[in-house]
Amino acid sequence: MGIAEPQTSAPWWRGAVVYQVYVRSFCDGNGDGQGDFAGLISKLDYIADLGVDAIWLSPIHPSPNRDWGYDVSDYMNVHPDYGALADFDALLAAAHAKGVKVILDEVLCHTSDEHPWFRDSLNRGEKSDWYVWTDPRPDGTAPNNWLSAFGGPAWSYQPARRQHYHHKFLRQQPKLNWRNPAAREAALKVLDFWLDRGVDGYRLDVANAYLHDETLADNPPVPFDQRTVANWSDAARLQRHLHDSNLPDNIVCLDEIRRRVVRHGDRFVFGEFSEGFERSGAFAAPDEGLHAGYTFFMLRARELSPAFVKDNYALLTGHPNHWPCVSLSNHDIVRTVTRFGGATDGDPALAKLLLAVLLTIKGTALLYQGEELGLPNVELRRDQLRDPVGDLYYPTAKGRDGCRTPMPWDANAAHLGFTTGTPWLPLGATHRPLAVSQQQSDDRSVLTYTKRFLKARKTSVALRLGDQQFLDAPVLAFLRTHGQERILCVFNMSRADTEWCDDWLGHATPLEWGCGKTVRSGDRLRLGPLAAWFGRV
């Protein structure tokens, strides 16, 4: 008989595991090379068997795909590559039937320049002020020094209005003016539309950037003595984004969004915060801003050491009521195994260690598709790239396509079982031996370990909801505590044997959740390279 899941009064999303599906690369049901709703429905048993609580779908709306769905041209419909509204409704019903909730990725800070709202604004119609417009300088240049995250000035001139419009990303992604009440209400009605249809919540794109400084003041530069390699990697990072985004009153928008979402019942809304964490409301309490949020603090980490975890939570100590989402990988970031120096063809030991970290640190865990397989990033030629960021910075940076390649389902099938047609991005040659078909019956695989860990996590209120206390140790060690349950979690983030001696170890009953080689003797624990050990104390 299995262990019954502990009952608590906490909302379903607190301590949940959310599986991110990049729809275009998940599974193709009609053979056109694009992932779609039919393909996703065919893999719902796989997702449910993983043991996750919800799926987060990358943007599903019609889009000209300048930024692959993050430039929305119609909020009230679905992209024809994925199917029709009826197909989405079928997906929603099928997921709910399996006990899996569905969260949409909503992009409300900007639209596509092909959205009818923008066309009306361009022509000075009734939506004239729904976007951020201003006059050029006398010499025709941009009105201030704001820089786009995707290169160059964050302004583009439109002769039809004889004005510039603001865009934080591509010029084809004009910034919606959330200071205009009608524009704000239109954006909020998008949330109502899909919540009424039955979705369980939202991940909000660039949730730090709803508001802009109406005076259009210049952003200050990052002082030269504070610039790092990360700053020099992108011109936009050479200035502090204090006026184009990350305003302190951004939290007012977040609070209004959450209040709108919870009108529809037991729903969840969390945000992406890529910069300006403390200024923009990233660390707000669930009743002050969004329910939760994730930052890029751990996502940008590349050095495997306890510091990248401990420093993140040290930042959160000043916000004790905040509930974090935790993420080590997503559609914007080099895959975890590659980022932390794993082998180019996969590194199962490293993958298991990082999955164990993700699933035990405090927060709602966000698990990106393919991480449960330990997939490495894929190296693509320039002619294979589809991401505008890769086109901009190649060869210094190759964009985000390497983490967006299609899921490898069947090692023995054409295109690894993703499609019967030509895939929109090439599949990774290194992914063939890591395909689901190769791992699902292997007791030592990363996939099997992920399933086992997720099953164990459901039996532990401490891991899902508990407080977190870091211990003074040469390894990453912390306690998760809830009521009478206390779990000791220990990780060796080096590739050498390590020992740790502590009184907690002497009182711990080992749990079968670990990875790598470990030997506990009394209050002494010996961990092999990339090993994790857990005990109930």
Side-chain angles (χ1 to χ4, degrees), residues 358-529:
L358 174 68
L359 297 175
T360 52
I361 53 180
K362 180 180 177 179
T364 294
L366 309 178
L367 177 65
Y368 180 49
Q369 68 181 48
E371 292 295 294
E372 77 277 16
L373 304 175
L375 298 183
N377 232 53
V378 176
E379 277 291 315
L380 298 172
R381 302 187 309 267
R382 185 169 193 173
D383 64 290
Q384 296 173 318
L385 301 182
R386 312 294 293 275
D387 179 20
V389 178
D391 183 63
L392 177 67
Y393 286 119
Y394 189 92
T396 303
K398 299 179 181 179
R400 300 165 293 181
D401 290 320
C403 70
R404 298 177 175 184
T405 56
M407 275 282 285
W409 294 104
D410 186 347
N412 299 312
H415 307 304
L416 301 185
F418 164 70
T419 181
T420 56
T422 301
W424 81 287
L425 277 176
L427 282 105
T430 59
H431 290 182
R432 186 173 298 278
L434 302 176
V436 172
S437 64
Q438 301 299 98
Q439 296 201 38
Q440 59 189 356
S441 59
D442 181 355
D443 287 342
R444 299 171 300 175
S445 72
V446 178
L447 177 58
T448 301
Y449 181 73
T450 304
K451 290 188 203 178
R452 189 164 61 239
F453 210 112
L454 285 168
K455 184 177 181 180
R457 178 186 167 102
K458 285 186 179 294
T459 71
S460 171
V461 181
L463 286 189
R464 291 186 287 113
L465 303 175
D467 294 331
Q468 183 169 260
Q469 175 191 350
F470 288 97
L471 303 178
D472 186 15
V475 293
L476 177 64
F478 53 84
L479 292 165
R480 296 295 310 279
T481 305
H482 188 280
Q484 298 301 308
E485 184 185 19
R486 183 184 289 119
I487 305 294
L488 174 61
C489 309
V490 188
F491 306 86
N492 177 16
M493 291 186 164
S494 77
R495 294 184 182 270
D497 289 350
T498 302
E499 283 196 359
W500 179 46
C501 183
D502 191 272
D503 288 344
W504 284 111
L505 291 165
H507 297 94
T509 301
L511 296 166
E512 299 299 319
W513 303 348
C515 59
K517 295 181 179 179
T518 61
V519 178
R520 198 276 303 264
S521 177
D523 61 0
R524 185 174 298 276
L525 177 66
R526 185 174 182 83
L527 299 108

Side-chain angles (χ1 to χ4, degrees), residues 271-291:
E272 171 203 41
F273 295 85
S274 58
E275 58 191 18
F277 306 153
E278 298 200 58
R279 282 174 52 88
S280 63
F283 301 143
D287 61 347
E288 295 174 344
L290 303 179
H291 287 133

